[in-house]
Amino acid sequence: MRKTTLNGLTYDQLVELCHLAGAKPVHADHLMASIFRRYNPDIDAITELPNVLRNYLAEHTCIFEPDCTASQQAADGTQKLLLKMPDGKEVETVLIQASGRLTQCISSQVGCAVGCTFCLTATAGLTRNLTAAEMAAEVFAGQRISGRKVRNLVLMGMGEPLHNYNEVAHFVRIVTDPKGMAFSPNRVTLSTSGLVPAMYRMIEDELPCNLAVSLNATTDEVRNRIMPINRKYPIAMLMQTVRDYIAARGNKRVLIEYVMLAGINDSPDDATRLCELLDGLDCTVNLLPFNPFDGTEFERPGDDIVSAFRAVLVKADKVVVVRESRGREISAACGQLKTETVATRHHRSA
Ligand code: SAH
Ligand code: SF4
C-alpha cells in the first residue's frame, strides 16, 4: 500500500487525516507545528498525539526527507546541494546568502521541457515533475543543512514551475500556511518563462506568491530564437498578461528577468525597447549577465555593456538590479543547475 507523504499535505488535508484516524482536528495543529514549523520529522516526539492517531500515522503515512548526496560551497557562502528523490532522481537546490538573509532556490522539475537555448537545464530535456512533498522536502533539507532560517524562496531552480502547476500551487500553499512554515507570500517568488494560460490561472487561484517573468528579449525575432515558448506566447501577449496580473492582484510588483547575451540582446536599442515594453508597469528589472557553460554558443557581455544597458533603464526611472552571479565557481549560479548524473547521461547520448 502506498503511504501518504505528510510533508505534502496542507493543514486542511491534515485535519481530514485526523478525521480518518478518529482523532480530534486539533492534532492537525500539532502535526503542522512539529513537521513544518520545527522541521522535526519525529512523530514520536509530539507528546500530545493520541495513540489512535499515532498508530494510524505509522501505518498509513511517512515523512520524506531527501538524502543530500553532494554539497558544494562557494567563497561567497552560496551552497549547492544535490538531493536524491525516492526514485533515485537528483535535483539541486541552492542556498544564497545576501545581506545576512538566506534565500533558497527551489527546483520544480527534474530537467525542463521549455528548451531555452541559453539554459543549461534545458540541454537534458524533462525527466519528470517534482511533487509538492518533494519541493517541501527541499526546504526541509535547506533549513537542516544550513542550520538557519531560510527567509526567501525562489522557484528559479531546475524546471518551469508553471508546467507543473498543480504541484507547485500546492507547494506554495504549504510553505505560506501561517500555521506551518509561514513564509510571507511576499517572500516566495515563482519565475516563469511566460506560460500565459497558467499565469491567468495564478490570478484566478490567487496564488499567494510573487511573479517573476523571464522576458530576456525585446523583439519576437530574438525571443523566438532564444526561447521557443515565444512562438506560442509572443511578447505582446506576455506583457498584456503581466499587466492583467498586476491589475488583478493590486499593486503587486512583478520581477522582470532579463538574461544578457553578448551581441544578442544587450544593445542600447534593446534597453530603449525594454523601457517601452515596461512603460507604466510596476516592476523591478533583474539583469542577469549570462553565465557561460561548456558548449554554449553565447557569451557574457562586458561590464561596460551591462552598465550602459542599466543606465538607460535607470534614466527611464526603472528599478534595476544587476544580479551578481553568486556561486559561479560551483556552477550554482542562475540557470546552471544540472546534476552531474544528468550531465553524464547527456554527454553519453550526445
Ligand atoms: N524556468 C523558469 C525558472 C528557472 S530559470 C524561468 O525560466 O523563468 C531562472 C532564471 O535563470 C530565468 O530568468 C532564466 O532566464 C535564467 N537563466 C537561465 N540560464 C541562464 C544562464 N545561463 N545565465 C543567466 N541566467 C540564466
Ligand atoms: Fe526551462 Fe527556465 Fe531554463 Fe527556459 S530558462 S529552459 S524555462 S529552466
Side-chain angles (χ1 to χ4, degrees), residues 8 11 26 56 78 91 94-95 100 117 127-128 139 156 171 178 215 230 237 293 311 337 340-341:
Y11 176 70
V26 66
Y56 183 92
T78 300
V91 296
V94 182
L95 293 156
T117 52
T127 303
R128 72 167 173 89
V139 185
M156 292 183 187
F171 166 75
L215 183 57
N230 194 66
M237 192 193 276
F293 49 88
L337 294 179
E340 298 301 320
T341 39

Side-chain angles (χ1 to χ4, degrees), residues 47 53 61 74 93 101 122 125 132 142 145 196 257-258 264 275 283 289 326 341:
T47 50
L53 182 56
T61 70
T93 183
R101 305 239 187 278
I145 291 164
V196 165
E257 294 164 281
Y258 194 93
I264 307 281
C275 293
C283 67
R326 290 178 181 275
T341 39

Side-chain angles (χ1 to χ4, degrees), residues 108 112 114 116 118-121 155-161 190-194 212-216 227 257-261 288-293 323 325 333-336:
S108 56
C112 183
V114 178
C116 304
F118 53 82
C119 175
L120 186 58
T121 306
L155 279 151
M156 292 183 187
M158 296 166 78
E160 167 49 57
L190 185 159
S191 173
T192 179
S193 55
V213 175
S214 300
L215 183 57
N216 297 344
M227 301 182 76
E257 294 164 281
Y258 194 93
V259 178
M260 295 188 68
L261 306 166
L288 315 168
F290 175 63
N291 288 310
F293 49 88
R323 202 142 87 198
S325 289
C334 211
Q336 306 243 321

Side-chain angles (χ1 to χ4, degrees), residues 172-185:
V172 168
R173 296 202 191 280
I174 289 173
V175 295
T176 54
D177 190 319
K179 286 181 193 281
M181 290 194 219
F183 279 92
S184 155

Side-chain angles (χ1 to χ4, degrees), residues 197-220:
M199 289 166 73
Y200 281 111
R201 214 170 146 198
M202 284 178 78
I203 301 176
E204 215 172 284
D205 295 351
E206 295 181 24
L207 209 63
C209 62
N210 286 331
L211 175 68
V213 175
S214 300
L215 183 57
N216 297 344
T218 60
T219 65
D220 281 326

Side-chain angles (χ1 to χ4, degrees), residues 22-261:
K24 292 199 182 107
V26 66
H27 297 301
D29 295 64
H30 298 138
L31 288 168
M32 277 304 261
S34 181
I35 302 169
F36 292 105
R37 198 177 271 282
R38 294 195 290 275
Y39 301 99
N40 186 355
D42 182 10
I43 300 289
D44 290 340
I46 318 175
T47 50
E48 296 94 334
L49 299 188
N51 280 339
V52 60
L53 182 56
R54 230 176 261 288
N55 295 339
Y56 183 92
L57 293 174
E59 195 179 337
H60 299 283
T61 70
C62 61
I63 291 184
F64 170 56
E65 277 202 298
D67 285 338
C68 180
T69 48
S71 154
Q72 277 179 297
Q73 183 131 12
D76 64 9
T78 300
Q79 199 177 8
K80 178 174 80 166
L81 310 175
L82 193 60
L83 304 177
K84 196 173 197 158
M85 294 303 164
D87 63 351
K89 297 280 181 291
E90 287 170 315
V91 296
E92 292 182 4
T93 183
V94 182
L95 293 156
I96 305 148
Q97 316 253 10
S99 41
R101 305 239 187 278
L102 203 59
T103 293
Q104 187 175 2
C105 183
I106 303 289
S107 291
S108 56
Q109 297 182 308
V110 184
C112 183
V114 178
C116 304
T117 52
F118 53 82
C119 175
L120 186 58
T121 306
T123 51
L126 176 67
T127 303
R128 72 167 173 89
N129 285 330
L130 292 177
T131 64
E134 288 172 327
M135 288 180 260
E138 288 182 54
V139 185
F140 289 176
Q143 303 267 18
R144 179 165 40 86
I145 291 164
S146 68
R148 289 182 49 200
K149 175 95 183 100
V150 171
R151 262 309 196 87
N152 301 288
L153 295 177
V154 290
L155 279 151
M156 292 183 187
M158 296 166 78
E160 167 49 57
L162 294 184
H163 264 162
N164 183 16
Y165 186 90
N166 289 341
E167 292 298 319
V168 164
H170 199 84
F171 166 75
V172 168
R173 296 202 191 280
I174 289 173
V175 295
T176 54
D177 190 319
K179 286 181 193 281
M181 290 194 219
F183 279 92
S184 155
N186 284 328
R187 297 190 177 278
V188 180
T189 302
L190 185 159
S191 173
T192 179
S193 55
L195 269 69
V196 165
M199 289 166 73
Y200 281 111
R201 214 170 146 198
M202 284 178 78
I203 301 176
E204 215 172 284
D205 295 351
E206 295 181 24
L207 209 63
C209 62
N210 286 331
L211 175 68
V213 175
S214 300
L215 183 57
N216 297 344
T218 60
T219 65
D220 281 326
E221 191 243 313
V222 173
R223 200 164 189 270
N224 284 345
R225 234 172 87 201
I226 62 173
M227 301 182 76
I229 190 98
N230 194 66
R231 293 177 197 277
K232 219 165 171 186
Y233 310 116
I235 293 177
M237 192 193 276
L238 177 58
M239 293 317 294
Q240 186 54 48
T241 311
V242 172
R243 284 174 198 277
D244 290 345
Y245 181 91
I246 293 174
R249 300 291 298 260
N251 265 348
K252 264 199 156 227
R253 190 171 274 272
V254 164
L255 194 66
I256 300 291
E257 294 164 281
Y258 194 93
V259 178
M260 295 188 68
L261 306 166

